[in-house]
Amino acid sequence: MWGVPLLAGDEKADVILLKFLRARDFRVSDSFNMLEKCLAWRKEFRADGVGEEDLGFKELEGIVAYMHGYDREGHPVCYNAYGVFKDKEMYERIFGDEEKLNKFLRWRIQVLERGISLLHFKPGGVNSIIQVTDLKDMPKRELRAASNQLLSLFQDNYPEMVARKIFINVPWYFSVLYSMFSPFLTQRTKSKFVISREGYAAETLYKFIRPEDVPAQYGGLSRPNDSQKPASEFTVKGGEKVNIQIQGIESGATITWDLVVVGWDLEYSAEFVPSAEGSYTIAVEKTRKLSASYVAIHNSFTPREEGKMVLCVDNTASKRKKVAAYRYIVRKSSLE
């Protein structure tokens, strides 16, 4: 199972068998029954080979369900967002009949299997993933059948594979939705839930995932093909102005920076201050107020003389403390 011989007597097999025991509260006969059914399902479903299949869902990759980065403890993170299915044409194309639904379920299992391939299966290692589910614009009625089937498949065949389940952009009706699928969940599963209402996605995710690993659309610094350089985290107190100074930028070098403040609603500006006396400060980004929904700043500048970049975060108009993060990289001129 997942490339591990269960009867080999090694520590990886122990980790997998322990998952089934925990899922059934250490009732051995129930755990063994669950394991047998899971092995039979994996054979029938051809789960071992699903990770390599081309199921034709290119339009959903990186949008509906995808693996992206790791949490602060090293767990792979899987993001889920079903808001695109509020579009009726998209919904019909993906879920229009039972055959299409089954194909989608296979694709969703494929994403999970690829995430599981990143696990260690070692005592004390990273043996589970993080699930982040974005409920914004999710068409609750239409996706009921798919949601119930997915929950059933995951709970019956992937015991203890999720370390934490984070729901973000949770609407007011979530309590109704939760009551629908709650009976399908064990108490152990429910204890892993983190609920974050709309507008608090970044603030919640930062508790578990570093800013550079949180996708930009959720208030993080991660964009496709971006620098993987770690970010520096800081707080901006209410009534405070913070100036981030990046010193020692040479003439002709290009500085690229990312900056994000959770729940912005404050003023931001960037200027370049030359080292030479008598030189003028350059307003790279004029002072502007950024709304709460603004995503991360991503900009670059190439000065003609050496100096420093100053990024200003002005929270003097607010009483609320803000969590923030930034990173930068300086590339010297290729003419040197």
Side-chain angles (χ1 to χ4, degrees), residues 51-96:
E52 306 304 318
E53 293 180 19
D54 181 3
L55 296 171
F57 285 108
K58 293 292 183 185
E59 62 185 317
L60 304 185
E61 292 178 7
I63 298 174
V64 172
Y66 53 98
M67 302 303 303
H68 185 96
Y70 299 82
D71 78 346
R72 293 178 185 270
E73 297 176 349
H75 298 95
V77 182
C78 180
Y79 289 85
N80 306 271
Y82 299 107
V84 294
F85 296 124
K86 68 178 181 178
D87 180 272
K88 290 185 178 180
E89 185 180 330
M90 167 77 89
Y91 176 84
E92 285 298 321
R93 194 158 66 247
I94 304 300
F95 300 107

Side-chain angles (χ1 to χ4, degrees), residues 285-308:
E285 291 186 276
K286 294 181 179 179
T287 301
R288 55 187 167 130
K289 186 166 184 177
L290 299 180
S291 67
S293 59
Y294 197 85
V295 296
I297 296 287
H298 179 68
N299 206 350
S300 60
F301 179 70
T302 305
R304 296 180 180 178
E305 52 187 320
E306 67 176 62
K308 65 180 179 181

Side-chain angles (χ1 to χ4, degrees), residues 57 78 84 102 130 205 220 263 282 286 320:
F57 285 108
C78 180
V84 294
N102 288 334
I130 300 293
L205 293 175
I282 301 170
K286 294 181 179 179
R320 186 183 172 196

Side-chain angles (χ1 to χ4, degrees), residues 17-27 30-31 34 155-156 158-160 186 188-189:
L17 295 175
L18 189 57
K19 288 180 179 293
F20 283 88
L21 284 167
R22 283 178 173 152
R24 292 295 178 262
D25 294 322
F26 289 89
R27 296 189 298 271
D30 290 349
S31 303
M34 181 186 187
Q155 190 147 308
D156 292 346
Y158 296 92
E160 298 295 307
T186 64
R188 182 182 292 275
T189 298

